[in-house]
Each structure stands twice: as C-alpha cells, then as structure tokens.
C-alpha cells in the first residue's frame, strides 16, 4: 500500500440527501406474475446498515409461474447486490481535532465560522420539522421538542450540552436506517441530525482516511475509490449512514475477504458527557498507549447510541492503508420457482447453502472471495433467489461461482440464470439498492441471528411451516454469507464477539399500511420464535446459533414475552464482551445520557 499524502490529503467530499425509490407491487394471486416488481425487490439486503439493515423492497405476487419477462429480470437482477447513490456535497479539508477550535476565530460568514457556530434548531410547526422527523422505517414517528441539524463536531458538542442542561433526552440520527425506535421513542426530546456532517477524505497527520457520520456508504465508496483506489468492506445499501453502520461493526460483500469495517478502524472522535453534565470532544485510537483506547474499542461493534456521538471515524488497517478497490464485480443470480419446493427440498436447499459455508469460510480459503445471499420468499411470493458476488479478477472465479450455484440448487431447476460483470463502483453505488420498499412502502420488521453451522432439521421444518402459512405473504428469510477473514480476529480484540460464525440469518416482513402492522408483526415474530423454539425463542449461543447482530436491532429480544431463554438481549448481542462494554459505559457516559431500548447498561 503506497503512502497517501501530498495534495490528496485535501480531496474530500460531503453528502447531500437524496431519496431513490425502488419498484412497487406485483400482481395478485392466480394470475400472471409481475417479474419486474419481483426481481426489482427481491433480496434487497442492506448488508448492515446504520443501525443496520436487511430489508427487501417491493410487494408480493400470488401464485407461481407466469411468463418470465427477461427484460424485467435483467433490469432488476442482483437486487441483493451492493448498490449506491452518488451525491455531491461540501468539500472539507482534513482537520485534526486540536485545530478545530481555531474555527471560531475565522471571519464571520465564512464556511468554517458557520460550522463552528450554533446548530440549526427546528421546532414543531415548521415545514422542515415534518420533513426531517422520520427515519427509514415509517412505523416509528417521534415528537421531539426540537431537531438540531449539526454541520461540525463543535455544533454537536453545543447541541448535546444544551439538551443535557435543559433536561431533554437526546437521540442522534445519521442515515436514519435504524430498525427500531431508538431515535423516535416518546422519551426523545432533542433529535440531533448528522446528515450534513458528511465529509470523507484523508488526514495527513494521522495517516488515515476519515469518514464523518452523515456520509452515506455509497458516498464513502465513491470518494475512497475515486480519490485513492481503496475501499472498506461495508454494506450494500448506499443510502445507509456511516455513523451507525460503522459503530455496530459493519459488513458487506468484501467482509469474507477483508473482515468487518471495524477491523480497519483506527480511531474515533466522540462527543461525551461527563459527571458534571457538560459535553466535550474526545479522540480515542487503537494505539496501545492511548489513554482513551477503551473508548475506541467500544466503537468496534458496541453499536450506536451507547457512549456518545461519533463525529468522525479514522480508518486505517493495522498493516496500513485500506483494502484495494476491486476493478469489477461478477454477479450471478439464480431464481427458482416456489412450486418446485417441498418441505424436504426446502430443507435441502437451506442446508446446502449452510454446509457450503461451513466448508468454505476459513480465513484464506479461496471460497471466501464469494459473497452469497439466499432469499426464500413466503410461498405467496413465488420465488427463491440466490445471489453471488465476487471480485471479477480473483483466480478461477467462474469455477468457484459455478460450484456454489450447483451445490446450493441441487435437485432444483432454475427458471432464470444470469451472470454479469460490471465495474465494482457501478454495483456498489447504484441508486436505491437495498431500500425497504418503495416511496410508499416504508414499514418493516427485521429479526436476525448468527449461525455457526447450517440450520438444524427442526429449524428447517419451522421455516417450512411459517413460509407456507397464511399471514406472511410479504415476508421472507435470508441467509447471508459471513466468516472468512472476519473469523481471523479474536472475540476480545473488538466488541464483535461472534468471530466463528459463517452466516447471518434475517427474518423480515415489509409492508405499506399501518393497518397491516399487527398481522405482519405477528407473522415474523411467530416465525422467529418457532425457528428458535428449542432455546427460548431467541438464538442463544450453542453449537449452531450464536446470538445476534446489534446493527439488526430487535427490541423483542429484551421483551420477556418473546425471549423466554433467561439470556438478556445484551448478552445475545455482545456475549462475553458485555461486562467490558458496561465498564466503558460507566466511565464515558456516567449519567446514562445516551440510551435506548437495547442500550448497554452502566457496569
């Protein structure tokens, strides 16, 4: 990795905000399936989003069959893939924290002076308030007394300090893709919006790349790739904000090859609140002699909204630099008709995918270059889809893809196969990929679990029961490949405790109207409880299961109605790392200012 210095240290960009809608509903039962809608929405997995994501777009189709529109399939194939939104924004030079205070001395009206001033305050009754109120999941709409729009770390300090002094509960939003109500609960009185704090660039002093929390993943990939030919192994949904995505661990199409995002995290700049109730800015790095190193460690998978407000991440792999940007992506997409499935064939399909990952997920194995996602829609959805993505320049890549596709689909006849090679950034920055639904369909519930091995026979039977029962027409189950280099790191070296898993499982429903909430919630909750019936309705760590992923936040894990295991939600997310996170919480957030329904409790 060459040294990144000189004039490149000034090459940065920021992100504006722009929405992109994905396609809508497919036709009703019994008639011809609208493959355009099905494929455009199929398997849109937000491979971790800020607080992460795994959501599908579009609606559902009735029946199985109908004439396949190849044009529609080609247009939508690979919705599981990474995609992105490229947006222009402000340019900002890398400014190490000690120099930021000087901004207040700048000429009034200059950009830096504005950034060092007071954050914009928006209150109920203003048109802006309604437009900034909602996050990605329209199930949750808060009613804060104010929304503070910050454009600098100094403004975040001021917004937090003023809220704490006034006794207002604080929540922070970057991309807005939280699965639960962390930023929209009734207790939140001050919502701090970080979408305008969005610079990406290179910090010459720290010899590290920096990313501010409001930057979207698509923007991060575009700027790092275009400016320096590097990337991070982050998620495949380009509108997800880096803020929550990074703090929760972060993973995506390159993680089997390069590990989690936080395996490349060098440092964080965080606004914290002390015992005196005053906000201040702290920098913590992974350097062994850093007195704040534990605060850095807490942000290597501890999740957002627990310790403070991250205003900047520094990224540099332990060996220096960042992973190189691949030249091109090869993607293979296979569809099978649900009509071919029986309980036995579904179990075989699921276990084939799982057992392949058991065999092919050791660090350094050539198969770790493949990123596979298997989505099984509800029977009413009519399809099963496998997507495989990889660096097109890996040795023998076509043969590796062929092997995986043939292994998973053994005994089934595809209704469609497609393999395309495209520029890597084209796929990772395609507008709207992975968004949950379309411009109207914005309600969802996501549940998840880590897997050390393939599903058991009992779990496969539970999936069949629920994917064929009434009430789940808008639901699906996904298996997402993991492991590889992510397993080369010891559980105690970062806050991510699950380091020997090979897959993530996602259980979801995405719908349109509020009156559909109860039915969809009941279905996905019942499915999840059935799959984990032997362990109290949740993925308690054992030979097969290994807890869950904090970026796929699920408040049900803290509800004794749905978790009867005796294992806390925090233990499911953090396992043996939880006591250490509690101690860090007690030191850096002693007043428990930053909290939500799944937050770390002070030790």
């Amino acid at each position: 990795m060459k040294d990144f210095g000189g004039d490149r240290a000034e090459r940065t960009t920021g992100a504006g905000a722009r929405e992109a809608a994905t396609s809508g509903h497919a036709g009703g039962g019994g008639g011809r399936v609208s493959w355009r809608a099905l494929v455009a929405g199929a398997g849109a997995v937000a491979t971790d989003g800020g607080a992460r994501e795994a959501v599908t777009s579009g609606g559902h189709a009735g029946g199985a069959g109908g004439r396949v529109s190849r044009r529609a399939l080609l247009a939508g194939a690979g919705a599981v893939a990474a995609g992105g939104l490229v947006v222009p924004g402000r340019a900002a030079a890398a400014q190490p924290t000690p120099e930021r205070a000087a901004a207040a001395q700048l000429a009034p009206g200059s950009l830096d002076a504005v950034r060092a001033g007071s954050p914009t305050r928006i209150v109920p009754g203003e048109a802006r308030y309604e437009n900034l109120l909602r996050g990605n999941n329209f199930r949750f709409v808060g009613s804060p007394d104010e929304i503070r729009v910050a454009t600098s770390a100094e403004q975040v300090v001021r917004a937090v300090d003023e809220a704490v002094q006034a006794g207002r509960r604080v929540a922070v939003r970057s991309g807005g893709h939280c699965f639960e109500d962390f930023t929209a609960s009734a207790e939140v009185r001050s919502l701090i919006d970080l979408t305008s704090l969005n610079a990406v660039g290179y910090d010459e002093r720290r010899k590290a790349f920096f990313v501010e929390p409001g930057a979207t993943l698509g923007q991060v990939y575009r700027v790092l790739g275009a400016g320096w030919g590097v990337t991070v192994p982050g998620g495949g949904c380009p509108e997800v904000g880096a803020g929550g995505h990074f703090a929760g661990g972060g993973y995506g199409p390159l993680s089997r090859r390069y590990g989690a995002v936080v395996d490349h995290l060098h440092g964080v700049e965080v606004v914290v609140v002390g015992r005196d109730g005053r906000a201040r800015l702290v920098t913590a790095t992974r350097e062994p002699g850093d007195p704040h190193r534990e605060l850095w460690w807490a942000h290597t998978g501890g999740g957002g909204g627990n310790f403070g407000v991250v205003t900047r991440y520094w990224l540099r792999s332990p060996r220096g630099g960042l992973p190189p940007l691949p030249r091109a992506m090869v993607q293979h997409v296979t569809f099978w008709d649900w009509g071919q499935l029986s309980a036995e064939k579904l179990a075989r399909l699921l276990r084939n995918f799982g057992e392949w990952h058991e065999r092919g997920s050791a660090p350094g194995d050539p198969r770790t270059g493949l990123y596979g996602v298997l989505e099984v829609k509800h029977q009413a959805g009519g399809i099963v889809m496998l997507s495989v993505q990889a660096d097109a320049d890996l040795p023998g890549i076509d043969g590796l893809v062929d092997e995986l596709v043939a292994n998973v689909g053994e005994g089934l006849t595809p209704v469609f196969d497609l393999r395309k090679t495209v520029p890597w950034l084209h796929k990772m920055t395609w507008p709207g990929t992975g968004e949950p639904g379309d411009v109207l369909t914005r309600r969802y519930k996501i549940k998840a679990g880590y897997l050390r091995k393939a599903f058991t026979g009992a779990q496969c039977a539970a999936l069949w029961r629920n994917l064929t029962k009434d009430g789940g027409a808008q639901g699906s189950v996904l298996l997402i490949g993991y492991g590889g280099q992510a397993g080369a790191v010891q559980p105690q070296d970062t806050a991510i405790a699950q380091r020997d898993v090979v897959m993530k499982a996602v259980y979801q429903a995405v719908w349109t109207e509020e009156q559909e909430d109860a039915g969809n919630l009941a279905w996905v909750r019942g499915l999840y409880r059935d799959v984990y019936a032997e362990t109290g309705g949740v993925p308690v760590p054992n030979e097969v299961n290994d807890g869950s992923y904090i970026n796929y936040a699920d408040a049900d894990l803290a509800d004794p109605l749905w978790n009867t295991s005796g294992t806390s939600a925090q233990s499911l997310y953090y396992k043996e790392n939880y006591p250490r996170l509690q101690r860090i919480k007690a030191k850096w957030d002693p007043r428990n200012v930053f909290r939500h329904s799944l937050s770390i409790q002070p030790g």
Side-chain angles (χ1 to χ4, degrees):
M1 178 66 68
K2 62 183 177 181
D3 180 52
F4 301 102
D7 62 335
R8 288 189 171 182
E10 303 302 316
R11 298 174 66 173
T12 65
T13 190
R18 187 160 45 145
E19 289 298 324
T22 56
S23 59
H25 292 278
R32 189 162 62 185
V33 175
S34 168
W35 287 93
R36 180 184 300 276
L38 280 173
V39 181
V45 182
T47 49
D48 181 49
R52 250 55 325 273
E53 283 65 64
V55 286
T56 59
S57 62
H60 61 278
R67 195 162 61 195
V68 176
S69 164
R70 187 173 187 275
R71 179 183 298 274
L73 285 170
L74 288 170
V80 179
L85 180 64
V86 182
V87 283
R90 61 183 174 81
Q95 294 181 7
T97 300
E99 300 170 6
R100 292 189 172 196
Q105 308 299 320
L106 299 174
S110 70
L111 178 60
D112 285 334
V114 170
R115 284 168 54 81
S118 180
T120 300
R121 185 172 189 263
I122 301 169
V123 298
E126 294 187 51
R128 293 180 297 175
Y129 181 89
E130 182 66 21
N131 281 282
L132 294 175
L133 187 61
R134 289 167 177 78
N136 190 264
N137 193 344
F138 279 20
R139 282 178 56 212
F140 306 115
V141 183
S143 57
D145 299 331
E146 61 179 15
I147 300 174
R148 306 300 299 271
V149 179
T151 62
S152 69
E154 292 76 21
Q155 288 190 6
V156 176
V157 171
R158 184 163 180 172
V160 171
D161 195 70
E162 290 176 356
V164 172
Q165 296 306 306
R168 291 190 292 267
R169 171 88 167 265
V170 174
V172 182
R173 184 172 65 203
S174 52
H177 285 73
C178 185
F179 290 173
E180 294 290 353
D181 70 344
F182 293 179
T183 64
S185 69
E187 292 78 17
V188 172
R189 306 320 312 155
S190 182
L191 175 62
I192 302 176
D193 186 298
L194 301 179
T195 53
S196 297
L197 184 57
N198 53 29
V200 178
Y202 186 75
D203 187 328
E204 176 66 29
R205 187 172 75 89
R206 295 188 183 276
K207 302 297 183 186
F209 298 92
F210 70 83
V211 175
E212 291 182 340
T216 63
L217 296 184
Q219 176 199 354
V220 172
Y221 303 144
R222 174 69 69 183
V223 176
L224 293 181
W228 297 275
V230 298
T231 192
V232 291
C237 296
E239 277 90 5
V240 168
H245 181 76
F246 288 8
Y251 82 101
L254 288 174
S255 288
R256 284 170 50 81
R257 192 172 171 193
Y258 295 119
V261 172
V262 294
D263 296 340
H264 306 271
L265 183 65
H266 175 73
V268 288
E269 178 184 80
V270 191
V271 177
V272 298
V273 177
R275 289 189 187 280
D276 60 358
R278 306 315 299 255
R280 70 188 192 280
L281 203 58
V282 174
T283 297
T285 72
R286 69 166 171 244
E287 297 298 333
D290 190 331
H292 303 151
R293 191 176 190 275
E294 284 292 271
L295 185 61
W296 162 82
W297 184 89
H299 287 87
T300 62
N306 278 307
F307 308 98
V309 184
V310 177
T311 54
R312 179 164 290 194
Y313 294 97
W314 284 278
L315 299 161
R316 188 181 77 206
S317 302
R319 296 183 180 180
L322 284 176
L325 175 74
R327 178 189 64 86
M329 175 189 290
V330 59
Q331 175 166 345
H332 186 104
V333 183
T334 295
F335 288 83
W336 296 282
D337 195 312
W338 234 100
Q340 300 181 58
L341 295 181
S342 62
E344 293 74 20
K345 287 186 176 180
L346 176 63
R348 186 69 263 160
L349 178 76
L350 294 167
R351 289 187 60 79
N352 282 346
F353 187 86
E355 289 168 359
W356 184 92
H357 281 85
E358 290 179 40
R359 297 190 300 271
S361 295
D365 189 299
R367 290 167 288 189
T368 60
L370 303 185
Y371 176 69
V373 180
L374 177 68
E375 178 180 27
V376 183
K377 284 187 172 291
H378 186 275
Q379 185 178 41
I383 60 169
V384 177
M385 185 182 73
L386 171 68
S387 171
V388 185
Q389 298 172 345
D391 180 342
D393 294 326
L394 290 177
I397 190 60
D398 281 332
L400 291 171
V401 174
D402 289 342
E403 177 195 5
L404 172 56
V405 173
N407 189 293
V408 173
E410 179 186 5
L412 298 176
T413 302
V415 296
F416 185 80
D417 270 305
L418 173 72
R419 188 173 302 184
K420 300 282 285 185
T421 299
V422 298
W424 187 270
L425 281 179
H426 171 79
K427 203 64 185 171
M428 292 298 286
T429 59
W430 186 256
T433 300
E435 286 300 294
D438 54 30
V439 69
L440 298 176
T441 307
R442 309 300 296 180
R443 308 178 77 84
Y444 54 89
K445 175 66 177 179
I446 313 291
K447 303 173 76 67
Y450 280 112
L451 286 167
R452 287 187 166 120
K453 294 183 177 181
F455 281 130
T456 66
Q459 288 177 317
C460 290
L463 289 165
W464 172 264
R465 283 193 299 272
N466 288 273
L467 289 168
T468 56
K469 71 187 295 187
D470 292 340
Q474 298 178 90
S476 64
V477 174
L478 301 99
L479 290 176
I480 304 168
Y482 196 55
Q485 194 62 27
V489 178
Q490 294 301 307
Q492 69 273 14
D493 289 346
T494 68
I496 302 174
Q498 294 88 351
R499 288 294 187 168
D500 64 352
V501 296
V502 298
M503 291 176 290
K504 303 191 186 200
V506 174
Y507 314 82
Q508 64 187 13
V510 186
W511 63 96
T512 306
E513 304 296 339
E514 186 175 357
Q515 57 264 32
E516 300 175 283
D517 285 6
N520 282 286
L521 289 169
W523 178 81
V524 72
R525 284 167 168 162
L527 161 69
Y528 193 78
R529 179 159 60 186
D530 202 5
V531 170
Y532 299 109
E534 295 181 359
T535 53
V538 297
V540 175
N542 59 20
E543 184 180 0
V544 174
N545 309 309
D546 201 21
S548 194
Y549 175 46
I550 189 59
N551 274 357
Y552 294 164
D554 178 9
D556 293 345
L557 298 185
D559 186 341
L561 178 65
W562 299 105
N563 179 359
T564 60
S565 69
T567 302
S568 71
Q570 288 84 356
S571 293
L572 292 171
Y573 286 123
Y574 306 116
K575 297 175 59 180
E576 291 81 6
N577 285 339
Y578 186 52
R580 183 175 176 183
L581 288 166
Q582 287 185 288
R583 293 192 294 271
I584 299 169
K585 170 76 169 180
K587 177 177 179 179
W588 290 103
D589 186 20
R591 297 166 63 101
N592 202 22
V593 169
F594 303 100
R595 61 191 188 275
H596 49 72
S597 58
L598 292 171
S599 58
I600 294 164
Q601 302 301 307

